[in-house]
């Protein structure tokens, strides 16, 4: 059975039953890279191989946005997200801390979109130390600015299961309908041109220093992110299979 990520979305400690792993290591991974580089798509593909749990903070905020009963702090977070700004560190860290049991998942985890600042990375390191868990690698996906804008503007997301499609690179079989669950596809508010500009700025200012952070920690692995999702997955698996990966 595939992990449902139910505890990640609810924040409660629910039993998780991951399927047997294919023993690809390392399995406790942070995925880094600019918005639109394809971290979410790669996380889904990698999860099918490693069976680790896909933990996306962006998915948490999108789920809270469609829930209708968001707290005042969460409403502020959703407004920041809509503009393309980063959500305040304190809230993101609190949300992940509430779900730190997910970091103990037997089959490992793929953190997608967290950490995004050095402060978040330091908090993650504290949580891992408390749980006596070692991060295996931080994978940084590299892509040119033009390719990033093309990917973001064509991206479509399932409004129900959050599966990711692309108008040209990965179109659904029926226009605007999710291949996996049949729900409607939509463009994310933060994939509009203005929000894309803000997000790129936030990435350069806040997230790029993380690359140095993980390089200093000896955890950084770089993967070229041009090509089809399967080609990029191939590059990633090669990096993960390296003895020092
Ligand atoms: P993503 O799906 O990872 O691209 O995240 C979408 C948006 O959610 C980001 O542009 C931010 O507004 C917010 N967000 C997600 N994760 C974080 C994080 N770790 N720190 C701050 N904001 C975040």
């Amino acid at each position: 059975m595939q992990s449902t990520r139910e505890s990640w979305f609810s924040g409660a400690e629910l039993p998780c039953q991951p399927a047997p792993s294919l023993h690809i290591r390392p399995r406790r991974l942070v995925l880094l890279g600019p918005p639109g580089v394809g971290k979410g798509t790669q996380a889904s593909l990698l999860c099918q191989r490693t069976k680790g749990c896909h933990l996306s903070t962006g998915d948490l905020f999108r789920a809270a946005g469609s829930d209708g009963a968001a707290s005042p702090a969460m409403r502020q977070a959703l407004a920041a997200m809509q503009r393309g700004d980063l959500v305040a560190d304190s809230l993101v860290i609190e949300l992940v801390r509430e779900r730190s049991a997910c970091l103990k998942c037997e089959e490992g985890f793929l953190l997608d979109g967290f950490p995004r600042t050095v402060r978040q990375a330091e908090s993650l390191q504290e949580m891992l130390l408390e749980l006596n868990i070692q991060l295996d690698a931080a994978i940084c996906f590299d892509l040119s600015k033009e390719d990033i804008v093309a990917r973001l503007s064509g991206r479509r997301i399932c409004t129900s299961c959050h599966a990711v499609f692309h108008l040209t690179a990965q179109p659904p079989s029926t226009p605007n309908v999710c291949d996996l669950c049949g729900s409607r596809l939509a463009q994310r508010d933060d994939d509009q041109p203005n929000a894309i500009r803000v997000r790129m700025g936030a990435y350069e200012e806040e997230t790029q220093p993380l690359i140095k952070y993980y390089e200093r920690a000896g955890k950084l692995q770089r993967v070229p992110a041009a090509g089809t999702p399967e080609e990029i997955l191939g590059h990633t698996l090669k990096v993960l299979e390296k003895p020092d990966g």
Side-chain angles (χ1 to χ4, degrees):
M1 189 202 288
Q2 183 93 48
S3 159
T4 58
R5 297 194 293 166
E6 227 179 293
S7 9
W8 180 248
F9 284 112
S10 70
E13 262 202 62
L14 300 169
C16 189
Q17 291 178 290
S21 115
L22 299 184
H23 299 294
I24 289 170
R25 301 200 179 249
R27 306 175 308 175
R28 296 190 170 101
L29 305 171
V30 161
L31 305 185
L32 299 176
V37 78
K39 294 187 295 291
T41 305
Q42 288 305 307
S44 305
L45 293 173
L46 273 169
C47 282
Q48 291 163 19
R49 298 299 185 101
T50 67
K51 305 299 174 199
C53 209
H54 177 189
L55 308 179
S56 153
T57 39
D59 280 353
L60 274 187
F61 292 124
R62 282 182 283 281
S66 52
D67 148 349
S71 67
M74 186 55 92
R75 281 204 298 275
Q76 271 191 12
L78 295 173
M81 181 176 169
Q82 207 163 12
R83 291 191 302 271
D85 282 329
L86 291 187
V87 173
D89 278 341
S90 52
L91 178 66
V92 185
I93 291 167
E94 190 185 319
L95 287 176
V96 176
R97 192 166 266 290
E98 273 174 11
R99 292 159 174 76
S100 61
C102 291
L103 300 173
K104 290 188 294 189
C105 192
E106 231 176 83
E107 301 296 340
F109 58 79
L110 288 116
L111 271 171
D112 161 17
F114 180 89
R116 254 183 165 97
T117 65
V118 171
R119 188 170 154 215
Q120 292 179 17
E122 287 166 350
S123 296
L124 172 63
Q125 187 52 25
E126 279 167 26
M127 288 181 229
L128 294 176
L129 272 177
E130 283 162 23
L131 297 167
N132 203 16
I133 288 171
Q134 280 242 352
L135 186 72
D136 292 306
I139 298 182
C140 179
F141 294 104
D142 294 317
L143 193 66
S144 75
K145 250 191 189 163
E146 303 85 80
D147 284 345
I148 288 167
V149 172
R151 280 201 193 164
L152 287 174
S153 46
R155 179 158 69 176
R156 297 294 180 271
I157 309 281
C158 173
T159 48
S160 173
C161 74
H162 312 295
V164 183
F165 296 85
H166 191 278
L167 291 182
T168 52
Q170 207 184 344
S173 320
T174 310
N176 280 324
V177 177
C178 177
D179 285 350
L180 305 185
C181 73
S183 301
R184 186 177 60 85
L185 301 184
Q187 187 170 33
R188 285 168 39 168
D189 288 338
D190 60 350
D191 281 346
Q192 307 289 340
N194 270 346
I196 292 176
R197 268 191 292 279
V198 178
R199 287 164 71 199
M200 292 299 290
Y203 175 74
E204 269 156 31
E205 206 168 302
E206 305 273 9
T207 310
Q208 279 226 328
L210 276 187
I211 296 172
K212 285 246 150 48
Y213 175 93
Y214 283 115
E215 198 168 29
R216 274 199 299 272
K219 300 285 183 195
L220 188 73
Q221 297 286 346
R222 302 198 87 124
V223 170
T228 65
E230 285 68 28
E231 284 164 349
I232 304 163
L233 176 69
H235 299 315
T236 311
L237 292 176
K238 224 181 256 161
V239 159
L240 295 184
E241 282 157 7
K242 279 198 310 203
D244 60 343

